[in-house]
């Protein structure tokens, strides 16, 4: 991705590419904190991203939004690793839409 998008990244000075060696998220995030003073980020992705970040121990909270609208394989879990996290529910809200209700959950990852 870095090679394919290098020209686009270079033309957008507000984008900083932080390479990650393997799945060494703690090291990459420490560089973000050290080099940019950023202590909290929002990572958006699917189950592979969630699993990688949870397994690295760098996640404090998870926000899940689900709906009955088909958009991939039904009933797929957000986590597919070997050690599912213990989660504490903070907020659960559901829309009152008749056709396709949306469920939002904010969960804290227990350490």
């Amino acid at each position: 991705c870095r090679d394919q998008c290098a020209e686009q990244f270079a033309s957008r000075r507000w984008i900083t590419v932080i390479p990650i060696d393997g799945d060494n998220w703690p090291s990459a995030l420490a560089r973000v904190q050290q080099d940019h003073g950023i202590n909290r980020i929002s990572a958006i992705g699917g189950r592979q991203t969630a699993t990688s970040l949870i397994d690295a121990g760098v996640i404090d909270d998870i926000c899940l939004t689900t709906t009955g609208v088909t958009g991939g394989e039904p009933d797929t879990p957000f986590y597919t690793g070997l050690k599912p996290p213990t989660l504490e529910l903070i907020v659960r809200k559901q829309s009152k839409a008749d056709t396709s209700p949306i469920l939002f959950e904010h969960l804290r990852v227990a350490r």
Side-chain angles (χ1 to χ4, degrees):
C1 174
R2 286 191 312 238
D3 293 339
Q4 291 177 346
C5 299
E7 187 176 315
Q8 290 82 6
F9 290 152
S11 69
R12 294 169 175 89
R13 295 183 313 165
W14 61 91
I15 295 176
T16 301
V17 176
I18 311 273
I20 299 173
D21 294 327
D23 275 345
N24 193 346
W25 286 103
S27 176
L29 294 172
R31 286 188 50 213
V32 170
Q33 183 180 28
Q34 178 183 337
D35 296 350
H36 303 283
I38 296 171
N39 295 313
R40 181 176 296 262
I41 64 169
S42 174
I44 300 169
R47 63 182 176 219
Q48 290 177 333
T49 300
T51 298
S52 179
L53 292 169
I54 289 167
D55 286 348
V58 297
I59 296 292
D60 294 321
D61 295 88
I62 297 173
C63 294
L64 297 174
T65 304
T66 53
T67 180
V69 174
T70 302
E73 296 177 41
D75 301 316
T76 56
F78 76 90
Y79 178 82
T80 58
L82 299 175
K83 296 170 74 176
T86 301
L87 303 173
E88 173 190 337
L89 180 65
I90 297 172
V91 173
R92 177 179 286 140
K93 293 186 177 186
Q94 186 165 349
S95 71
K96 297 185 184 338
D98 292 332
T99 55
S100 180
I102 298 170
L103 177 64
F104 171 82
E105 295 174 296
H106 179 189
L107 307 154
R108 179 170 292 124
V109 178
R111 297 278 178 222

